[in-house]
Amino acid sequence: MSAPLTSLDRPNSYIGRSVPRPNAKRLLAGRGRYISDLRLPRMLYAAFLRSPHAHAKIVSINADEARTLEGVHLVAIGTDLAKICTPWIGTLDHFKGMTSAPQLPLPLDRVVWAGQAVVAVVAESRAIAEDALELIEVDYEDLPVVVDIDSARDAGGPVINPGSANNTCFRALLDNGTVDHAFAHAAHVVEEEFSFGRHTAVTLEPRAIVADYDPAAGALTVHHATQTPYQFQDLYSRHYGIPEARVRVIATDIGGSFGMKLHVYHEDMAVVGLSILLGRPVKYVADRIESFVSDIHARDHRVHARMALDAKGEILAMDVLDLTAIGAFSTYPRTSVVEGNQVIRLMGAPYRFKNYRATLEVIFQNKVQTSQYRAVGHPIACAVTERLVDMAAAKVGLDPFAIRAQNVIADDAYPQTSPTGYRFEALSHQACLKRLHEMMDYDALRAEQADLRKRGVYRGIGIAAFVEITNPSPAFYGVGGARISSQDGAILSLTPSGEVRCLISVTEQGQGTEAIISQIVADQLGIAQEHVKIITGDTEVTPHGGATWACRGAGIGGETALRATRVLKRNILEIAALILQERPSALDIVNGEVVDAGTRNQRMPISEIARIAYFRSDTLPPGTQAQLTVSHHFAPQGYPFAFTNGIQGCSLEVDVETGFIKLLKHFIVEDCGRVINPMLVDEQLRGGIVQGLGAALFEECRYSETGQLVNGSLAEYLVPMPMEMPDIVIAHVETPTADTVLGAKGVGEAGTAAASACVLNAVNDALSPFDATINSIPITPTKVLKTLKRF
Amino acid sequence: MSGFDETKLDDADETVRVRFVVNGRKVACEVAPRETLVDCLRNTLELTGTHAGCEMGACGACLVQLDGRAVHSCLMFAVQADGANISTIEGLTESGVIADLQAEFHRRNALQCGFCTPGMLVNAQELLSQVAQPSRGEIRDALSGNYCRCTGYEAIVDAIDAVAKARSEGGGTT
């Protein structure tokens, strides 16, 4: 490269360097410590009897026989837990007019989805608890079931929540510019109805929790496989009336989360109550079937959208209606309307147009709740926008790259405010688009496609530009009244032997949080990474913070670590300056040694400063109090979100005889600002893309007309497996945010955001010779054959 | 009230003594007939490196080596494994036979949450013991029963590919 030296040539330069995760070695040796592995003394096991009905009145519950079974310690029903747990309501104040019924760990008189936990049994083993479930009789009286969007919206149809006028949870309207005028005067209008099935996170480790209430101490410890221990500390404290300081939540290793494990689940709340009732540790691990019927699902949207363009293909306006069905309740405490809200606000995000109108309608139905799962709302907004752009390109006679190049917001035109209300600091659509074109060897792919078509082979090429929301400020949840922090905290200590301990509120789910935090600390202090120990996931020891979600670990957690480290470094150098009789500014730290800032000559190791400060403070000048532990909090300011952007491309082949789709190659150019660990960023992108590809082709929670989930196992619910997935080619553009010193933004959702849009466009491209289109996800072989009129 | 058959629970309470060699050591334990091998390994023997993901042989998280071959420990009852020689991730780690795979997975970050990883390693070792130099397609096929939600698989395929090449060139591991 042209520059003689980069910042990576400095000693201890870890920001921007691909280093393996120190904590991954344990996992490779089978020494992970997952909550599902945990066994405590006197621990009991919970199992739940679940509703076989999607909507029914509970007439009676007879658990007498179960109670007498040897090994059973407790059988609890709704009223038992309602005595000690206050109800929760999944609404946020800033979603005006939003409603949702109060929820309790177990229902009192009515079930609202098939699979809802009704009775809890606690026994000496899970097997005994399950034996006892078989002895419980529940008498139900069927109520009318609402399972699809249309019947939920029927005026005069069944209403899920008694006392409500209809099944509407929330409605929102955005209207900016002059939409009707734009459509009336447009040269081209494209319009389509899209549907997006339900899918779910399918973490390989199901939800797991061990609640351990000590009545003598009045203290609750919950070992909880969650992303957000502080949020749960607050919730357990408030709903069970235990002082916050006596509630400890520990999140150790966690077998995947992806947003799914940061919601309140009825079983989890119940397990806490069961432990309180028994005064003993109670463990619950969902089995796979329970996961499918009780983990949050995601998506479930029907979108009607149209786009207006001028004669040259300039986008003038978009008009969108998003109907989304969320289950019988809105999820607590983050609600089930954030996804829809982000759908209508991310529409058209890469493009320069002024006129936008959207209606969001969030609807109750008798299914398990939907809520935030990786890339909340993004895949919907991206697929709708990008498909309309492709349809427009075909109508105007432009190549998909050309119409995007013409319409994306120019890289030098920032800051910008979108017609949906988002403020973009700086994005790089033009650079990404150009890079993708080169990386895909687009012209060669098109030539190959044309050749193969002559031989009856139908390949498709699709691209999809996206904008991702990361680093959320209090505008996300705090303003709505949720006690979910947007700030993070770190406590950093120089240990007596000159190493560094960092306790930080962001958490690890395998994405490499601890690795990147140790990289930042080592880099900023000037020591080797192996001398930095990171501790996360325990409310008793780490400071309060938002933890890891919405791609905030690197951008907010990383900035917190950076600033804390700079304070610690200043404190270390102040002591060093006293000892060396220098000005602090004349000194620096390199490789664990205090050096002359100018010459880099070594003066003394920081371990010596630690030794003197901790053990020989008598040798320091009178009045000196060394502060070798610092705490620091950082809350994002400036832009309410750090938006990122990128573009994906893919090449695939559609077998028009069978409807099967073979993914050939996937591409992404992504801009997440400052890259801290390129290898980990690439792995986030790959994992995210594959989740998006699963959604595109395979994953769907399918329900019967009576509201039964009919494919709730890993044999019937299709997830992406290795032989179906393509290799993924990755490139980066780096546009750091100026809101932080570090400049990092998030990257966890970028892959998922556009992968399904990309596939949707590629499949439609492949089908173009047949005058057949698909606008429904997942794109199953059946849908392909149906549109080809071969099924 | 359905008539509750008392004898049913008596049966479930009965245990059977089984003996196996687990990670090179002779082990005897009392198991219920309905107890699966994965539950016996994880609960009775405290070998928690083997994971239960789907409990129906679809995800590969529970793979162990049984008499030298990769087997789903969730699809076997513990009593069926009586007399078998079993290696779990803990034993494979201690013996060093998969140290090269583990190092390559680490170097390439071919894992995130790590829950699928022990099963992936058992299956990778199985593949490489059957096929010296599998193609990338063969590696992907061989892993078709190992579900990973985090990585997107490519780094796993890369890691196994690299170890296959190194083993072929270097004459295997120590």
Side-chain angles (χ1 to χ4, degrees):
Chain A
M1 302 301 280
S2 55
L5 284 175
T6 73
S7 62
L8 285 176
D9 296 303
R10 280 192 300 110
N12 317 124
S13 299
Y14 292 103
I15 295 176
R17 193 181 291 282
S18 289
V19 289
R21 289 156 51 207
N23 58 358
K25 282 188 175 172
R26 286 188 301 109
L27 307 177
L28 281 156
R31 287 176 170 273
R33 289 170 61 250
Y34 302 93
I35 305 296
S36 50
D37 300 334
L38 184 67
R39 193 154 60 177
L40 297 178
R42 299 185 75 234
M43 189 170 84
L44 299 169
Y45 299 81
F48 293 90
L49 187 68
R50 296 177 181 280
S51 167
H53 303 279
H55 196 192
K57 190 169 172 241
I58 301 170
V59 179
S60 65
I61 297 172
N62 185 340
D64 294 346
E65 229 176 319
R67 287 197 173 90
T68 60
L69 186 69
E70 195 180 326
V72 169
H73 285 244
L74 179 67
V75 178
I77 62 170
T79 46
D80 299 321
L81 291 166
K83 284 176 197 151
I84 56 171
C85 180
T86 57
W88 60 89
I89 298 172
T91 57
L92 287 169
D93 299 342
H94 63 308
F95 296 127
K96 298 282 178 243
M98 182 186 179
T99 65
S100 181
Q103 302 176 61
L104 284 165
L106 298 173
L108 299 177
D109 54 6
R110 209 164 50 94
V111 290
V112 289
W113 84 89
Q116 183 177 5
V118 178
V119 185
V121 172
V122 186
E124 278 158 24
S125 73
R126 171 73 180 236
I128 294 172
E130 289 189 20
D131 288 340
L133 296 182
E134 293 184 18
L135 304 174
I136 298 170
E137 286 184 359
V138 183
D139 192 10
Y140 294 99
E141 192 177 295
D142 275 323
L143 293 168
V145 176
V146 178
V147 291
D148 67 83
I149 289 177
D150 292 321
S151 64
R153 297 175 81 224
D154 266 353
V159 174
I160 293 172
N161 293 307
S164 302
N166 54 41
N167 291 316
T168 304
C169 167
F170 177 64
R171 277 180 65 94
L173 178 70
L174 300 177
D175 197 351
N176 270 311
T178 51
V179 173
D180 289 329
H181 182 266
F183 275 93
H185 295 86
H188 305 283
V189 172
V190 287
E191 183 165 5
E192 193 55 76
E193 174 132 336
F194 300 86
S195 71
F196 299 86
R198 278 186 165 226
H199 50 258
T200 184
V202 201
T203 58
L204 191 50
E205 182 190 33
R207 284 170 21 232
I209 185 168
V210 177
D212 183 7
Y213 182 70
D214 177 349
L220 174 72
T221 303
V222 184
H223 305 264
H224 190 163
T226 179
Q227 297 168 234
T228 49
Y230 317 93
Q231 171 195 301
F232 282 102
Q233 179 191 35
D234 172 70
L235 294 174
Y236 296 144
S237 162
R238 285 190 295 120
H239 287 281
Y240 280 103
I242 306 168
E244 188 179 52
R246 291 192 194 172
V247 178
R248 177 183 189 183
V249 178
I250 302 169
T252 53
D253 293 325
I254 174 169
S257 187
F258 315 112
M260 187 271 283
K261 293 177 183 169
L262 49 65
H263 308 291
V264 167
Y265 290 95
H266 300 91
E267 297 88 348
D268 298 357
M269 270 295 206
V271 165
V272 170
L274 297 169
S275 178
I276 291 170
L277 291 172
L278 286 161
R280 286 176 68 163
V282 177
K283 179 174 187 172
Y284 171 68
V285 180
D287 68 23
R288 184 55 59 190
I289 293 170
E290 289 182 294
S291 298
F292 274 109
V293 298
S294 66
D295 290 355
I296 56 104
H297 293 176
R299 323 306 180 211
D300 204 349
H301 293 258
R302 201 164 74 209
V303 181
H304 193 100
R306 55 190 188 130
M307 181 180 275
L309 300 99
D310 72 10
K312 288 178 294 186
E314 189 81 18
I315 300 171
L316 302 172
M318 281 183 80
D319 186 9
V320 174
L321 168 66
D322 178 20
L323 305 177
T324 180
I326 58 163
F329 298 113
S330 165
T331 304
Y332 185 67
R334 291 167 190 252
T335 82
S336 302
V337 310
V338 171
E339 164 136 318
N341 188 50
Q342 291 189 181
V343 168
I344 61 168
R345 290 179 188 276
L346 282 165
M347 286 282 175
Y351 304 109
R352 179 190 62 233
F353 65 100
K354 297 289 171 225
N355 307 302
Y356 181 72
R357 181 167 60 208
T359 303
L360 168 68
E361 199 173 314
V362 181
I363 300 150
F364 294 118
Q365 59 176 178
N366 290 117
K367 293 180 186 171
V368 70
Q369 290 145 298
T370 66
S371 198
Q372 284 81 311
Y373 160 61
R374 194 175 202 168
V376 183
H378 294 67
I380 315 300
C382 183
V384 169
T385 303
E386 293 301 282
R387 174 77 185 119
L388 289 178
V389 168
D390 265 19
M391 289 166 65
K395 208 157 186 177
V396 182
L398 286 170
D399 180 87
F401 269 96
I403 193 169
R404 287 173 175 82
Q406 183 182 329
N407 280 287
V408 290
I409 301 168
D411 293 356
D412 59 6
Y414 291 92
Q416 285 273 331
T417 300
S418 78
T420 72
Y422 282 149
R423 286 165 57 214
F424 302 136
E425 180 195 7
L427 300 175
S428 57
H429 293 295
Q430 288 175 318
C432 290
L433 201 58
K434 185 166 174 290
R435 188 79 189 273
L436 181 74
H437 194 278
E438 298 158 5
M439 197 164 82
M440 290 177 81
D441 202 355
Y442 183 72
D443 297 331
L445 270 184
R446 283 285 177 209
E448 183 187 43
Q449 177 188 39
D451 275 352
L452 287 168
R453 257 183 207 175
K454 289 176 204 150
R455 307 199 330 242
V457 174
Y458 295 93
R459 288 209 172 159
I461 301 160
I463 61 173
F466 64 90
V467 168
E468 188 205 336
I469 300 169
T470 80
N471 294 7
S473 72
F476 213 50
Y477 290 113
V479 296
R483 296 168 68 87
I484 297 168
S485 190
S486 63
Q487 64 81 48
D488 276 295
I491 298 171
L492 226 61
S493 297
L494 186 69
T495 70
S497 51
E499 299 183 332
V500 173
R501 262 163 56 90
C502 173
L503 306 150
I504 191 157
S505 56
V506 284
T507 52
E508 170 82 89
Q509 292 88 44
Q511 65 277 74
T513 305
E514 294 186 5
I516 62 153
I517 297 297
S518 69
Q519 286 178 254
I520 292 164
V521 172
D523 184 284
Q524 293 295 303
L525 192 60
I527 59 172
Q529 191 191 3
E530 60 263 33
H531 293 151
V532 180
K533 176 165 186 184
I534 307 296
I535 295 153
T536 64
D538 184 347
T539 59
E540 198 91 317
V541 296
T542 58
H544 189 95
T548 306
W549 47 272
C551 286
R552 59 190 304 294
I556 301 176
E559 181 75 3
T560 307
L562 179 146
R563 294 187 182 202
T565 309
R566 290 188 172 185
V567 177
L568 179 64
K569 181 175 180 177
R570 192 185 66 209
N571 291 2
I572 293 170
L573 289 180
E574 274 175 12
I575 302 298
L578 290 171
I579 296 168
L580 297 169
Q581 305 205 336
E582 283 278 7
R583 284 173 301 112
S585 61
L587 300 170
D588 199 355
I589 301 173
V590 174
N591 252 335
E593 299 276 344
V594 175
V595 299
D596 287 325
T599 64
R600 304 261 151 161
N601 287 336
Q602 287 185 8
R603 300 295 299 272
M604 68 191 301
I606 58 171
S607 59
E608 183 60 8
I609 293 164
R611 186 191 67 81
I612 292 168
Y614 284 116
F615 307 119
R616 290 304 310 273
S617 51
D618 57 311
T619 65
L620 293 171
T624 307
Q625 295 290 349
Q627 299 298 321
L628 299 184
T629 293
V630 301
S631 67
H632 192 87
H633 288 263
F634 171 76
Q637 293 176 346
Y639 285 85
F641 306 97
F643 287 95
T644 72
N645 70 284
I647 183 161
Q648 298 189 22
C650 77
S651 158
L652 53 75
E653 194 169 303
V654 179
D655 183 331
V656 295
E657 303 301 324
T658 64
F660 278 93
I661 294 162
K662 170 87 181 150
L663 301 170
L664 299 171
K665 199 127 199 166
H666 204 95
F667 306 84
I668 182 168
V669 183
E670 207 273 343
D671 184 348
C672 61
R674 177 82 64 240
V675 172
I676 298 162
N677 185 321
M679 175 170 70
L680 298 185
V681 164
D682 287 359
E683 287 305 299
Q684 278 302 297
L685 292 173
R686 289 201 169 91
I689 285 168
V690 166
Q691 283 187 13
L693 295 177
L697 296 179
F698 308 123
E699 297 186 40
E700 186 171 24
C701 302
R702 304 174 77 100
Y703 281 84
S704 72
E705 285 173 5
T706 57
Q708 303 290 329
L709 182 68
V710 296
N711 62 339
S713 82
L714 267 179
E716 294 149 306
Y717 179 98
L718 302 180
V719 287
M721 297 300 279
M723 70 292 182
E724 295 148 339
M725 289 299 109
D727 284 344
I728 297 163
V729 186
I730 298 172
H732 298 284
V733 172
E734 284 193 54
T735 309
T737 171
D739 275 351
T740 63
V741 179
L742 185 61
K745 311 178 200 174
V747 74
E749 334 218 25
T752 311
S756 53
C758 211
V759 169
L760 185 70
N761 278 346
V763 169
N764 280 297
D765 181 48
L767 297 179
S768 58
F770 299 93
D771 196 27
T773 61
I774 291 183
N775 294 295
S776 171
I777 280 172
I779 310 165
T780 59
T782 310
K783 286 180 189 167
V784 173
L785 292 179
K786 273 189 177 155
T787 188
L788 289 168
K789 301 190 173 52
R790 296 182 184 198
F791 184 77
Chain B
M1 295 268 284
S2 63
F4 167 48
D5 178 4
E6 300 271 340
T7 58
K8 206 171 142 192
L9 279 176
D10 290 343
D11 287 346
D13 265 343
E14 271 177 22
T15 56
V16 178
R17 185 175 171 81
V18 293
R19 301 169 69 218
F20 359 78
V21 175
V22 178
N23 298 330
R25 283 183 179 274
K26 274 195 285 188
V27 176
C29 48
E30 300 286 330
V31 300
R34 65 179 175 180
E35 192 173 342
T36 56
L37 180 59
V38 66
D39 284 345
C40 176
L41 292 170
R42 286 178 50 79
N43 300 335
T44 312
L45 302 178
E46 299 184 335
L47 294 165
T48 52
T50 302
H51 298 144
C54 69
E55 297 158 282
M56 61 188 305
C59 78
C62 70
L63 287 173
V64 296
Q65 270 188 8
L66 189 133
D67 294 334
R69 298 301 301 265
V71 164
H72 288 102
S73 59
C74 77
L75 290 184
M76 264 186 109
F77 292 113
V79 292
Q80 291 176 291
D82 188 36
N85 184 7
I86 299 166
S87 294
T88 67
I89 184 67
E90 290 88 350
L92 296 170
T93 300
E94 279 166 27
S95 71
V97 288
I98 58 166
D100 52 352
L101 278 167
Q102 288 165 316
E104 200 61 30
F105 269 57
H106 187 241
R107 197 172 75 78
R108 293 173 184 271
N109 202 51
L111 72 157
Q112 287 179 33
C113 80
F115 205 76
C116 73
T117 309
M120 285 285 178
L121 290 168
V122 168
N123 207 9
Q125 179 71 357
E126 170 91 356
L127 170 67
L128 298 185
S129 70
Q130 305 289 314
V131 186
Q133 285 203 57
S135 67
R136 288 178 71 80
E138 285 173 310
I139 295 170
R140 284 190 179 272
D141 270 348
L143 297 179
S144 65
N146 285 84
Y147 171 53
C148 168
R149 190 52 138 178
C150 303
T151 63
Y153 302 109
E154 189 169 332
I156 296 173
V157 175
D158 291 343
I160 296 171
D161 187 34
V163 170
K165 290 189 172 109
R167 284 190 187 181
S168 300
E169 285 160 18
T173 54
T174 50

